[in-house]
Amino acid sequence: MERSDGECASSSENPRPWQSYHTVYTNAKAGMDGVDKEKVQKVVYEMSKGSKYFENEERKEAFIRQKIEHMRARCAKLTSLVISHYQKVADKRILELEATRDLSRSWLHVDMDAFYAAVETLSNPSLKGKPMAVGTMSMICTANYEARRFGVRAAMPGFIARKLCPELIFVPTNFTKYTYYSDLTRKVFCKYDPNFMAASLDEAYLDITEVCRERGISGIEIAEELRTSVYEEAGLTCSAGVAPNRLLAKVCSDINKPNGQFVLPNDRMAVMTFISSLPIRKIGGIGKVTEHILRDVFGINTCEEMLQKGSLLCAVFSHSTADFFLSVGLGLGSTNTPQARFRKSISSERTFSVTEDKALLYRKLAEIAEMLSADMQKEGLRGRTLTLKLKTASFEVRTRAVTLQKYISSSEDILKHASVLLKAELPVSLRLIGLRVTQFNEDKVRAPSDPTQKTLTNFMTSGHASKKIVGDQNSLGSDINDDCLIDDKETSVSLDVSETNNYEFGDPVCDNSLPDLNDENCSFSNKISEVEKIHENEVSPLLEGNSLVLRQEEGSCCDGVEEVDKDTTPDNKVGTSSNQKDQFIWLDDYKCSLCGTEMPPSFIEERQEHSDFHLAERLQKEESGSDLRILTHMERCVRTQRDHSASHRKRKKQKLFEKEGTHIPIDMFFAKRNRNF
Ligand code: TTP
Ligand code: MG
C-alpha cells in the first residue's frame, strides 16, 4: 500500500481513503489503461480493510514513509560543497558508463499475451470474448484482456476479481498445457537464436543480431516474422520489443501489447529520446518502493531525471545502486549472452504413468541419469550435489539430496547415488522422477572465497541425504534447498511434457535489477541465518515471512534499494544491510512452496504480495489460535459443538481447494477479526 500524500488515511480524516491505497492490484498491467482506477481501489480497499493483510500493508507503508523521511533529512544535510563533489563523481561515472555503450547488438524480447488465459481459450473457444481469469477464488494467475477492462489482473485474489467483474469466469490452472505451449513457442525462438534466454514460460530474450545480418533484414521484419510464426505454430499471439539491449527490449515489448511490437533503433539519440520521458516504473527492477523513494525523496519520475539528479544519487546510494540508476538514465543494459558456465544447476525429469513397480522405477531412474549425464558432459559440467525429485501418485512432491565428496558427471556415478536416494523412499507409487545436479566444480573455482557456500552446504546436507517434502504447507521449513538460498535468481522452467531436460539460467531480468539484490555476501549470509533458524528452532516459514517485515523495519528497503550511510565527508561510507527478499519460499526459485503458485523471479512485486498473503494468513491464524487459548472452558465447549458442525463444511471446502491444487484459501487472509469466530 502506498500513500502518495504521505498521510495516515483513516476514514474519519479522509472520506475517500481508498484514493491513496495502492497495492499491486491497482497497478496497471497491459490492457488496463481505461480502467476506472478509483473503483478498483475502493473495492480492494473495502475488501481488505481490517484484515491482517491490510495491517501488514500499513506496517510496510509506515516503514517506507519513515525511510523517506530519513533520506530526505540526509539529503537536506548535504552541503553545497558535498553536492558539488558528488556532481563531479556523477559526471565522471556517467562518462565511464557512456563509454561502455554497445549499440552493435539487437535484442528481441518476446512476451506471450495473457498467456495462461490464451492457452485456456485455445482449448475452450467458448471462452473467447468473455472476461475470464485463470486461477482460483484465492489467487488469479492471469486474466484475459476482456477481464482487465474491469481492473482484474494477475496476482489478485479471485474473490476481489469477482467483485470487480461479477461475470468473471474462472478456469483452473493446468501447467502441463502451459509448458506444452511454451515448448512450441520455444521451438520458434530457437530458429532465430539457438541460445535464446527464457525468462519464464511465456517470455524470452533473443539476440537477433546474427539472424538480421545473415538474412539482411531488419529487427522490425524479424519481429513480425517471429510473431507470425509463433501464431502459426501455437495458435497464440505474442508481443515483441526490439532494442540494443535486454533492459530496453523488455520495456519495448510492453508498449504495443497485445499482439504488437515496438522497435527502438540502435542509435544513441533514439535511445536517449525514448528514455527521456520513460517513467522509471517501466524499468525491470524498479518496483513500487524504489519508485516511491526516487519520486518522493529526489523528485525523479522519468529515467532521464536519474541523470539530472546524479549527484544526489551518488551521494546517498552505494556505488552499485547509483551505477544502476545512472545506467537506466543512459538507457544502458546487458547486451551479452551469459554463457552456460553461469548455470547453477542442470536437471532432467520424466513423467510417466503411475507405478510402484520397483524394477520399473529403477529403470526410469537409470534413463534419467543417462540423459542428465549426457547433458552434463556436453557442457563439461561436474557437480557434487545430487537431488532426487519424486512426484507421488497423490501429487506430493518429495526431494532428497546428497552432497558428495567428489564431483561427478558419469551416468554410473549419478545412478549409484540416485539409487541410494530412491531406495530410502521405497515402497512408493510415483508419477515423476527427476534428478538435478548442483554445486559445479567450476563454481568452486570461480568463488573460492565464499565462506557461506560451505556453511550452507554443511547445513543442508552434511554429506548425508536430507529429506524434504514439498506440497505440504507445513513442510516449507524443511523444503529449502540451496538453489533457493543462493541468490542466483534462477528461472527453473519445468517442461512437464513427458520427457524433458531442464536448463536453468541466471534470470536475465535480474541482470538489470537493482545491483544490491545481487550483493551475494550480504543477502547470502542473511539467508543462511534464516535457514539455521528454521533448522534449529523449527520455526515455520511463515514466521520467516514475519521476519521479513521485521527486517524491513530494521532499516532495509522493501524492494532492495541499497542506501549507503554517507557522512557529509565523501569517503566515509558505511553500508547498511540490503533487503532480504522472500526468495526462500520459492522452490526452484519458481514455485511457491506453500500453495504451488508458479511465479518467475521477474515478478518481483507479485511475489512480494504473494508472500505477504501467506504472512497475513499466518498472523490471522496465530491470532485466532491465541484468542482460543484465553477462552473460558464454557466458551470452548460451545465452540467445539459449533466447530463440529462447521468442520464438515470446512472439510468440503478444503477438498475443493485440494482439487484446485491450492492448499490455502487466500480469501481467509482477508477475514476480518470479528469474522474469525
Ligand atoms: P505475464 O506475461 O506477466 O502476463 P500475461 O502473459 O498473462 O499477460 P500479458 O503479458 O499480455 O500482460 O505472465 C505470464 C504468465 O505468468 C501469466 O499468463 C500467468 C503467470 N503469472 C502468474 O502465475 N502470476 C502472476 O502474478 C503473474 C504476473 C503471472
Ligand atoms: Mg505475457
Side-chain angles (χ1 to χ4, degrees):
M1 183 175 59
E2 179 186 341
R3 292 205 173 104
S4 38
D5 56 5
E7 282 166 24
C8 185
S10 80
S11 43
S12 55
E13 296 161 17
N14 179 356
R16 296 151 89 91
W18 53 84
Q19 283 180 326
S20 51
Y21 186 70
H22 304 277
T23 70
V24 71
Y25 319 131
T26 53
N27 185 32
K29 255 181 98 73
M32 295 177 77
D33 287 345
V35 170
D36 180 348
K37 198 168 175 184
E38 182 164 356
K39 185 183 166 202
V40 177
Q41 282 176 308
K42 189 165 184 250
V43 169
V44 174
Y45 177 85
E46 283 175 349
M47 293 197 77
S48 58
K49 193 164 189 297
S51 68
K52 284 286 168 194
Y53 172 80
F54 190 87
E55 283 173 21
N56 189 41
E57 290 294 295
E58 283 198 314
R59 262 202 306 274
K60 286 196 302 189
E61 173 59 19
F63 164 73
I64 297 167
R65 277 205 304 273
Q66 201 185 342
K67 180 99 181 166
I68 286 173
E69 283 316 310
H70 173 72
M71 289 176 85
R72 273 188 183 149
R74 287 238 318 273
C75 285
K77 275 194 213 147
L78 296 173
T79 63
S80 52
L81 198 67
V82 171
I83 293 176
S84 78
H85 166 82
Y86 278 108
Q87 187 61 58
K88 284 186 200 123
V89 171
D91 291 345
K92 181 167 173 276
R93 198 60 197 130
I94 288 170
L95 282 178
E96 286 164 356
L97 289 168
E98 179 61 49
T100 69
R101 188 186 296 276
D102 176 5
L103 291 168
S104 68
R105 309 222 61 90
S106 278
W107 279 91
L108 183 148
H109 178 253
V110 55
D111 188 320
M112 304 304 294
D113 301 323
F115 184 50
Y116 294 1
V119 169
E120 294 302 338
T121 308
L122 210 55
S123 39
N124 178 4
S126 75
L127 293 168
K128 216 171 173 172
K130 297 177 190 158
M132 64 88 86
V134 176
T136 64
M137 283 307 234
S138 310
M139 178 64 76
I140 285 178
C141 290
T142 195
N144 65 6
Y145 280 75
E146 286 79 359
R148 291 184 197 192
R149 286 202 276 273
F150 294 84
V152 173
R153 56 152 291 162
M156 177 181 267
F159 64 97
I160 291 185
R162 164 82 31 99
K163 181 90 178 167
L164 290 169
C165 174
E167 309 296 303
L168 189 68
I169 300 167
F170 284 85
V171 177
T173 51
N174 182 335
F175 293 106
T176 311
K177 257 198 246 175
Y178 312 144
T179 49
Y180 172 77
Y181 281 96
S182 173
D183 205 19
L184 292 183
T185 64
R186 288 173 183 193
K187 282 185 183 132
V188 175
F189 303 161
C190 242
K191 292 183 191 151
Y192 296 89
D193 176 9
N195 300 316
F196 75 88
M197 298 160 68
S200 69
L201 283 183
D202 92 321
E203 229 185 300
Y205 293 83
L206 285 69
D207 182 347
I208 56 167
T209 319
E210 298 314 321
V211 72
C212 284
R213 196 180 46 79
E214 277 164 20
R215 295 177 53 191
I217 56 175
S218 68
I220 301 179
E221 288 162 297
I222 291 287
E224 273 164 4
E225 191 186 291
L226 177 137
R227 289 175 41 240
T228 308
S229 231
V230 166
Y231 188 74
E232 281 166 5
E233 290 299 318
L236 300 167
T237 65
C238 62
S239 301
V242 177
N245 61 56
R246 292 201 293 276
L247 180 132
L248 294 177
K250 182 165 167 78
V251 176
C252 290
S253 70
D254 202 51
I255 291 177
N256 287 319
K257 237 179 188 313
N259 200 14
Q261 63 182 55
F262 183 89
V263 177
L264 182 61
N266 286 33
D267 172 79
R268 187 182 178 276
M269 270 311 284
V271 170
M272 294 310 286
T273 308
F274 179 74
I275 275 291
S276 66
S277 55
L278 189 70
I280 50 175
R281 187 62 181 277
K282 296 279 180 194
I283 300 293
I286 298 189
K288 184 173 75 176
V289 179
T290 308
E291 180 195 34
H292 201 154
I293 288 174
L294 290 175
R295 187 191 63 211
D296 291 359
V297 179
F298 304 95
I300 295 174
N301 290 292
T302 65
C303 297
E304 189 185 44
E305 285 163 355
M306 301 267 199
L307 298 183
Q308 291 157 10
K309 301 288 166 75
S311 59
L312 290 179
L313 296 175
C314 287
V316 171
F317 293 106
S318 71
H319 286 301
S320 57
T321 303
D323 263 12
F324 171 72
F325 290 145
L326 295 178
S327 300
V328 165
L330 290 166
L332 300 176
S334 308
T335 56
N336 63 320
T337 303
Q339 297 304 301
R341 67 174 179 278
F342 291 117
R343 182 180 297 152
K344 296 281 202 256
S345 70
I346 185 163
S347 60
S348 184
E349 66 182 42
R350 234 180 173 203
T351 306
F352 40 83
S353 315
V354 173
T355 179
E356 55 180 336
D357 179 333
K358 278 185 206 166
L360 194 57
L361 291 176
Y362 277 114
R363 255 201 326 274
K364 301 265 179 224
L365 191 68
E367 286 164 14
I368 297 162
E370 194 83 40
M371 290 193 312
L372 183 58
S373 168
D375 286 330
M376 288 182 73
Q377 285 171 21
K378 227 185 298 165
E379 302 274 347
L381 296 171
R382 291 159 57 76
R384 70 184 189 105
T385 296
L386 178 69
T387 303
L388 171 73
K389 173 182 164 190
L390 306 174
K391 196 183 278 179
T392 68
S394 57
F395 290 92
E396 178 195 24
V397 179
R398 300 179 191 174
T399 60
R400 271 182 173 264
V402 62
T403 294
L404 309 161
Q405 294 302 318
K406 62 169 197 163
Y407 292 89
I408 58 167
S409 68
S410 73
S411 56
E412 294 78 22
D413 279 343
I414 294 173
L415 183 60
K416 184 173 87 185
H417 296 290
S419 300
V420 176
L421 297 177
L422 178 62
K423 191 174 173 204
E425 293 293 322
L426 297 175
V428 65
S429 188
L430 297 176
R431 58 175 70 244
L432 175 145
I433 297 180
L435 284 173
R436 176 170 55 176
V437 173
T438 48
Q439 293 232 48
F440 300 135
N441 52 348
E442 73 186 339
D443 283 351
K444 204 175 144 212
V445 174
R446 272 170 43 225
S449 60
D450 185 351
T452 53
Q453 187 88 28
K454 190 165 176 289
T455 316
L456 180 64
T457 309
N458 288 350
F459 162 69
M460 290 308 297
T461 56
S462 312
H464 304 293
S466 61
K467 184 176 178 181
K468 299 176 258 174
I469 298 177
V470 192
D472 169 353
Q473 69 184 72
N474 299 319
S475 69
L476 182 101
S478 58
D479 190 42
I480 291 161
N481 62 37
D482 50 0
D483 277 358
C484 299
L485 291 159
I486 51 178
D487 200 13
D488 60 10
K489 310 286 190 300
E490 286 179 354
T491 303
S492 158
V493 179
S494 172
L495 302 178
D496 209 7
V497 263
S498 67
E499 187 179 319
T500 54
N501 289 347
N502 305 336
Y503 297 105
E504 300 167 53
F505 294 93
D507 178 7
V509 180
C510 290
D511 284 352
N512 299 320
S513 67
L514 297 178
D516 48 300
L517 293 180
N518 291 327
D519 182 344
E520 290 203 358
N521 287 338
C522 190
S523 50
F524 209 158
S525 54
N526 279 341
K527 282 171 180 170
I528 284 167
S529 63
E530 282 170 7
V531 180
E532 283 169 353
K533 233 197 295 175
I534 291 169
H535 184 62
E536 287 164 16
N537 307 331
E538 300 277 304
V539 288
S540 80
L542 283 165
L543 224 53
E544 291 304 302
N546 202 354
S547 72
L548 179 78
V549 175
L550 290 178
R551 271 192 303 280
Q552 289 171 355
E553 286 168 353
E554 279 160 18
S556 60
C557 179
C558 296
D559 56 351
V561 180
E562 182 194 3
E563 177 194 351
V564 170
D565 237 325
K566 283 172 175 159
D567 245 3
T568 40
T569 11
D571 286 332
N572 186 358
K573 289 172 272 174
V574 183
T576 58
S577 66
S578 76
N579 176 49
Q580 169 52 50
K581 303 288 288 179
D582 54 339
Q583 301 284 346
F584 61 92
I585 81 161
W586 300 97
L587 298 176
D588 289 334
D589 208 8
Y590 196 72
K591 187 167 182 171
C592 174
S593 48
L594 291 173
C595 68
T597 292
E598 304 200 3
M599 234 182 265
S602 49
F603 299 138
I604 296 167
E605 253 187 79
E606 285 84 0
R607 283 167 62 135
Q608 174 72 58
E609 291 292 327
H610 189 86
S611 52
D612 283 350
F613 275 148
H614 288 313
L615 167 64
E617 191 218 35
R618 168 72 179 211
L619 295 174
Q620 204 95 43
K621 273 188 188 159
E622 275 179 2
E623 189 165 284
S624 318
S626 57
D627 286 358
L628 197 65
R629 280 194 292 278
I630 54 168
L631 289 175
T632 62
H633 175 68
M634 184 69 105
E635 283 169 323
R636 272 194 218 125
C637 291
V638 172
R639 182 182 300 256
T640 308
Q641 275 179 358
R642 200 178 51 197
D643 285 354
H644 187 70
S645 57
S647 70
H648 179 67
R649 286 198 303 275
K650 237 191 215 162
R651 269 201 303 277
K652 249 180 147 175
K653 191 172 180 191
Q654 182 62 34
K655 270 214 170 118
L656 189 71
F657 280 113
E658 279 163 12
K659 254 196 203 145
E660 290 169 339
T662 306
H663 301 277
I664 298 172
I666 295 181
D667 48 341
M668 299 269 286
F669 298 172
F670 287 83
K672 312 284 159 83
R673 272 190 77 152
N674 55 6
R675 278 206 232 137
N676 282 343
F677 303 110

